[in-house]
Amino acid sequence: EVQVVESGGGLIQPGGSLRLSCAASGFTVETHCMTWARQAPGRGLEWVSVTYGANTYYADSVKGRFTVSRDNSKNMLYLQMNGLRAEDTAVYYCASYIVTHPYWGQGTLVTVSS
Amino acid sequence: EIVLTQTPGTLSLSPGERATLSCRASQSISTTYLAWYQQRPGQAPRPLIYDASRRATGIPDRFSGSGSGTDFTLTISRLEPEDFAVYYCQQYGISSVTFGGGTRVEIK
């Protein structure tokens, strides 16, 4: 069964850093498209990053602050978030695309506040 | 960047009625990379349709997707009580992903 599970969210002060994890099962992270998206409270969905193989692309709102990495041995995807701002407060979702069928996790909440 | 515009913003219908939701892209996109999601309050988005017209795993056949080029449609043939929610379209390309602003389907 294909599954992705996010973790690592929490309360962080402005300017701080946080690393989110996405644990994958039922497929190989290395060979499938993976995305991060987020949803601020009461708002719609916003794309954060998309990773195909060795390439990752970022939304302008996070470019230069967020970095995606992968640990193939653990079948994990990570989102390193630096220079966090209040407007980064959101539920962050990891998603995989098996061929083109999307699978989403339940999300992890990141709150940026002093 | 491809912009997706969803209309209407809110759809007020009764259980048993048919719902038709629209998603228009600012430029032509491949049907292979167009998806629809349902989101109920407090829950994660649930994939309904991918490749513009294929139902995701476990999705009942009252949900259907159609369209090509710049115009896509999600149809719910007969609304069940659990279908009242927010629906999003999404395009996912090699170097970017975008979401529509959502359509809320509410009980009339």
Side-chain angles (χ1 to χ4, degrees):
Chain A
E1 180 190 4
V2 172
Q3 195 173 16
V4 293
V5 178
E6 307 90 338
S7 61
L11 175 63
I12 187 76
Q13 291 190 337
S17 297
L18 204 60
R19 189 180 80 159
L20 304 183
S21 299
C22 174
S25 56
F27 71 101
T28 304
V29 166
E30 183 181 8
T31 57
H32 290 87
C33 174
M34 301 291 296
T35 66
W36 286 98
R38 66 185 181 181
Q39 187 171 36
R43 305 295 295 273
L45 295 167
E46 180 189 15
W47 166 61
V48 172
S49 69
V50 56
T51 299
Y52 276 95
N55 299 311
T56 298
Y57 301 89
Y58 300 93
D60 288 344
S61 58
V62 306
K63 200 174 296 182
R65 300 188 298 125
F66 290 12
T67 303
V68 170
S69 62
R70 209 168 49 203
D71 185 331
N72 295 333
S73 67
K74 295 181 179 178
N75 211 29
M76 297 279 291
L77 189 76
Y78 302 100
L79 181 67
Q80 177 67 42
M81 304 185 296
N82 299 330
L84 283 162
R85 307 165 180 166
E87 54 265 35
D88 296 318
T89 293
V91 176
Y92 284 73
Y93 296 101
C94 173
S96 65
Y97 296 80
I98 310 305
V99 188
T100 52
H101 188 305
Y103 294 88
W104 282 51
Q106 290 303 302
T108 187
L109 175 62
V110 173
T111 303
V112 184
S113 175
S114 55
Chain B
E1 176 184 303
I2 298 174
V3 176
L4 298 179
T5 302
Q6 289 189 243
T7 56
T10 302
L11 199 52
S12 298
L13 295 167
S14 301
E17 288 194 295
R18 181 184 188 90
T20 303
L21 288 66
S22 174
C23 176
R24 176 164 288 179
S26 59
Q27 58 187 273
S28 182
I29 59 176
S30 169
T31 57
T32 304
Y33 303 111
L34 193 287
W36 289 91
Y37 297 83
Q38 176 194 68
Q39 189 175 34
R40 298 172 178 145
Q43 296 187 15
R46 172 194 183 198
L48 296 175
I49 300 289
Y50 67 103
D51 289 0
S53 61
R54 294 175 182 262
R55 274 187 294 278
T57 304
I59 301 304
D61 60 8
R62 64 180 182 273
F63 292 92
S64 63
S66 62
S68 64
T70 60
D71 291 302
F72 299 88
T73 301
L74 174 70
T75 302
I76 311 171
S77 59
R78 289 178 55 85
L79 284 164
E80 298 287 341
E82 62 267 28
D83 298 337
F84 292 92
V86 179
Y87 294 82
Y88 295 95
C89 60
Q90 175 207 36
Q91 70 83 25
Y92 41 111
I94 294 174
S95 60
S96 73
V97 174
T98 49
F99 294 96
T103 290
R104 179 180 304 277
V105 179
E106 64 177 24
I107 299 176
K108 187 175 182 180

